[in-house]
């Protein structure tokens, strides 16, 4: 319930629970019946059932304290949808170009960027350059057969460019990862058309429990002893 409701609504529920004497209080029944959000009445009914069967002697103040504790516990931020191309009113989303640059700006120590193709994308390239200027370590994982590295030729030599070790398979991943906290994954290559005009889809992940294993996997790919990627 804390994951689906805004904080101010949770606080209102906490204050309401403080006035309730027991799970059989008629005030609680009226609150459940008045909930407009789909499924919220059911959730409150289940809470009431557990209250009645597991802790019937607890007051509403105790339930309010439990809810406040759940509300204050750190919770992962939900994934954010990202698109390129036409935007409809049905999907709350952000455009790929702006999100890619935002993620790059958020890096303090490291950037992992992968793309099958790259062309133009001057805004992204400039943002990578600014990240290098503030001391961020940048690793670019690029598909060699598409000559993607040419798009980043203006970046300083300290930017490391990686290609697949000789194989018939290609590097097809597209991602931008800042440090170990934020990852942007999607279908878009780092090209002008993919970042703006093509119909593309992606997500931004800000849960470190999800992002950190992803970073560890790509760092494993870059380790020389694993013979998967080589410096270009």
């Amino acid at each position: 319930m804390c994951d689906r409701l805004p904080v101010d609504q949770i606080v209102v529920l906490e204050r309401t629970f403080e006035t309730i004497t027991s799970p059989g209080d008629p005030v609680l029944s009226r609150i459940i019946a008045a909930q407009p959000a789909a499924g919220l009445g059911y959730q409150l009914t289940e809470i009431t059932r557990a209250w009645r069967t597991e802790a019937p002697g607890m007051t509403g103040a105790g339930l309010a304290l439990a809810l406040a504790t759940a509300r204050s516990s750190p919770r992962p931020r939900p994934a954010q949808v990202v698109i390129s191309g036409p935007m409809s009113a049905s999907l709350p989303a952000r455009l790929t170009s702006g999100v890619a640059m935002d993620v790059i700006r958020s890096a303090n120590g490291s950037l992992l960027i992968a793309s099958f193709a790259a062309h133009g994308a001057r805004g992204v390239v400039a943002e990578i350059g600014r990240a290098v200027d503030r001391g961020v370590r940048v690793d670019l994982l690029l598909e060699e057969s598409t000559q993607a590295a040419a798009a980043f030729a203006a970046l300083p030599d300290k930017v490391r460019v990686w290609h697949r070790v000789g194989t018939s398979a290609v590097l097809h991943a597209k991602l931008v990862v800042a440090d170990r906290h934020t990852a942007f994954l999607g279908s878009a290559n780092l090209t002008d058309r993919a970042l703006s005009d093509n119909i593309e889809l992606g997500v931004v992940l800000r849960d470190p429990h999800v992002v950190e294993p992803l970073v560890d996997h790509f760092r494993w790919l870059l380790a020389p002893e694993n013979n998967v990627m080589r410096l270009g």
Side-chain angles (χ1 to χ4, degrees), residues 84-109:
S84 297
M87 296 189 71
S88 70
S90 61
L91 184 66
R94 293 188 59 202
L95 287 173
T96 301
S97 55
V99 170
M101 289 190 284
D102 281 352
V103 174
I104 294 168
R105 290 187 196 107
S106 73
N108 294 311

Side-chain angles (χ1 to χ4, degrees), residues 3-17:
D3 286 337
R4 66 174 298 196
L5 291 179
V7 171
D8 58 342
Q9 292 186 33
I10 293 294
V11 171
V12 169
L13 278 175
E14 291 168 12
R15 292 172 179 168
T16 303
F17 287 153

Side-chain angles (χ1 to χ4, degrees), residues 110-118 137-150 152 155-167 169-173 175 215 217-232:
S110 64
L111 273 171
L112 268 171
I113 299 174
S115 190
F116 173 75
R137 182 184 65 175
V138 178
D139 289 287
L140 299 177
L141 289 68
L142 304 171
E143 171 55 33
E144 191 169 21
S145 67
T146 65
Q147 291 82 49
F152 306 96
L155 292 174
D157 292 340
K158 63 181 70 174
V159 172
R160 301 195 301 176
V161 176
W162 300 84
H163 299 305
R164 279 287 308 258
V165 169
T167 173
V170 299
L171 185 149
H172 205 251
L175 81 160
V215 173
H217 171 69
F218 274 86
R219 291 294 177 197
W220 180 88
L221 293 177
L222 299 184
E225 61 271 21
N226 295 320
N227 198 36
V228 178
M229 305 291 295
R230 58 175 174 79
L231 286 169

Side-chain angles (χ1 to χ4, degrees), residues 27-81:
V27 173
L28 184 56
S29 298
R30 290 197 293 270
I31 292 171
I32 293 173
Q35 294 303 321
L40 185 55
Y42 172 78
Q43 285 183 305
L44 288 170
T45 299
E46 287 297 290
I47 289 172
T48 303
R49 182 193 58 76
W51 184 6
R52 182 180 295 111
T53 58
E54 298 178 21
M58 183 178 69
T59 65
L63 185 58
L65 178 60
L67 189 56
T69 301
R71 171 174 57 84
S72 63
S73 299
R75 301 195 304 279
R77 296 170 65 183
Q80 176 188 21
V81 176

